[in-house]
Amino acid sequence: MAEPNFPVLKPGATIGILGGGQLGRMLALAAARLGLHSHVYCPDAESPAFDVVRRITQADYGDKAALEKFAASVDVITYEFENVPADTAAFLSARKPVLPNPKVLATTQDRLVEKQFINALGIATAPFAEVNTADDLAKAAEKLGRPSILKTRRFGYDGKGQTKISADTDPAAALREVGGEPSILEGFVPFEREISVIAARGHDGRIVCFDVTENEHGDHILRVSKVPAAVTLQVTAEAIRIAGKIATALDYVGVLAVELFVVRDGAGHRVLVNEIAPRVHNSGHWTLDGATVSQFEQHIRAIAGWALAEPVRHGSRIEMFNLIGAEIEDFARWLTVPGATVHLYGKAGWRHGRKMGHVTRVFD
Ligand code: AMP
């Protein structure tokens, strides 16, 4: 559905970006290449995105005066993380277009609401149950079996706010481990592979997906992404259909990532949605060097009201791996490897589990 009042930005316009991490940094770099300016808003003085933009605001997300000024200085606002407070999004969207629309945040900030939304579209997820008390958890574990995974409904990422429920786990202790927060228990999915679809949806409703990506995690953190994913045509088509259906149902404008589990089912496979990320995503970083248009540019095009590209992959095979924690100290050895491109995020110091950069490798 075309939206006639949708603002179409001209080169020289300014994109407001909430969040100053590496995703904000790479969005701003893509915007700059298209002749657009960026203004990054982030509370953290050490934000990687601050290094590469014309304007920054370092203030809390609840600072109304700072938000007012920020909104006045930009033409459209987007975000690089899904935990933008609802009040902040509402305050800003009363002043400037916020894309993707803030209703998307209400769905994706809460694992329970997100899973219910996905299931209501007729799309499968891991089986789950709501957990507020140790008693709920004991009952849910009986229903869903052990092992299963307890996850807080809100603010979980890279394995934070999650714990495995094994045969001998005490429910009260497990709930304490996730801070006693409202949670869900998820049945353990014996997946064969994990894949993701990076989809872009324009304001005219057109959807363009990048090639389906295969992902490997370690300690709940994405380590490696590979394209093409080693999945059947049927799985590829189903994953792309699911991503499109979700994007349309959310009336989404911009790039979103859908993470999926591929499970063997007799002679074929089933695909279950693990998570939706309403933003550019680590598993799409390969597009920076592995395709004619990156996920970051595609997002900027969508929110600027410009035409989406039809990305063409470079090479028969692409790999992206993250430089996590101390791995950053090894970056120099990739500088001279043919087909490798090094991306460093400019973060001050490494910590265990912190994403410091990534390397893409394009193979002929
Ligand atoms: P999440 O933070 O929910 O994306 O989970 C991070 C990673 O943990 C996933 O990419 C999987 O590797 C693993 N995981 C999460 N949920 C499940 C599940 N229900 N069954 C099996 N593995 C899971």
Side-chain angles (χ1 to χ4, degrees), residues 86-309:
D87 285 354
T88 307
F91 184 88
L92 291 172
S93 61
R95 288 156 179 79
K96 286 288 158 70
V98 176
L99 295 168
N101 74 72
K103 278 184 293 183
V104 168
L105 294 170
T107 305
T108 56
Q109 282 178 352
D110 183 325
R111 287 186 193 273
L112 179 63
V113 175
E114 181 177 289
K115 283 203 161 48
Q116 288 168 337
F117 162 77
I118 294 166
N119 287 168
L121 294 176
I123 299 168
T125 58
F128 62 93
E130 184 173 353
V131 169
N132 295 307
T133 63
D135 194 37
D136 291 345
L137 179 53
K139 287 196 180 112
E142 214 158 287
K143 194 171 106 200
L144 301 175
R146 299 178 185 227
S148 42
I149 303 180
L150 183 66
K151 302 182 178 181
T152 56
R153 286 173 56 176
R154 300 171 69 85
F155 302 120
Y157 68 98
D158 288 349
K160 294 180 179 68
Q162 288 194 21
T163 186
K164 195 164 172 180
I165 307 299
S166 306
D168 56 356
T169 306
D170 169 45
L175 204 55
R176 272 199 303 278
E177 204 174 308
V178 299
E181 295 289 323
S183 298
I184 60 168
L185 185 70
E186 273 185 39
F188 191 82
V189 178
F191 58 80
E192 197 175 86
R193 292 172 202 288
E194 291 190 83
I195 59 172
S196 57
V197 178
I198 308 293
R201 186 169 179 273
H203 65 88
D204 57 357
R206 182 167 166 247
I207 294 171
V208 179
C209 296
F210 288 94
D211 291 346
V212 174
T213 306
E214 181 166 341
N215 303 313
E216 290 166 19
H217 295 82
D219 290 336
H220 298 275
I221 300 177
L222 181 70
R223 297 268 156 188
V224 181
S225 292
K226 294 179 183 171
V227 179
V231 292
T232 61
L233 285 177
Q234 170 251 332
V235 166
T236 302
E238 179 63 358
I240 286 176
R241 185 191 71 80
I242 287 171
K245 189 157 187 178
I246 289 172
T248 301
L250 291 169
D251 197 19
Y252 201 90
V253 174
V255 163
L256 96 169
V258 180
E259 294 183 82
L260 306 116
F261 297 126
V262 181
V263 184
R264 183 160 276 288
D265 186 14
H269 292 91
R270 276 185 313 128
V271 177
L272 313 178
V273 171
N274 174 26
E275 212 166 42
I276 304 169
R279 53 173 170 77
V280 287
H281 190 256
N282 195 169
S283 68
H285 288 4
W286 66 268
T287 62
L288 279 167
D289 308 297
T292 45
V293 167
S294 73
Q295 61 165 347
F296 303 99
E297 175 167 340
Q298 200 76 310
H299 184 77
I300 297 294
R301 285 175 179 233
I303 65 168
W306 296 8
L308 298 180

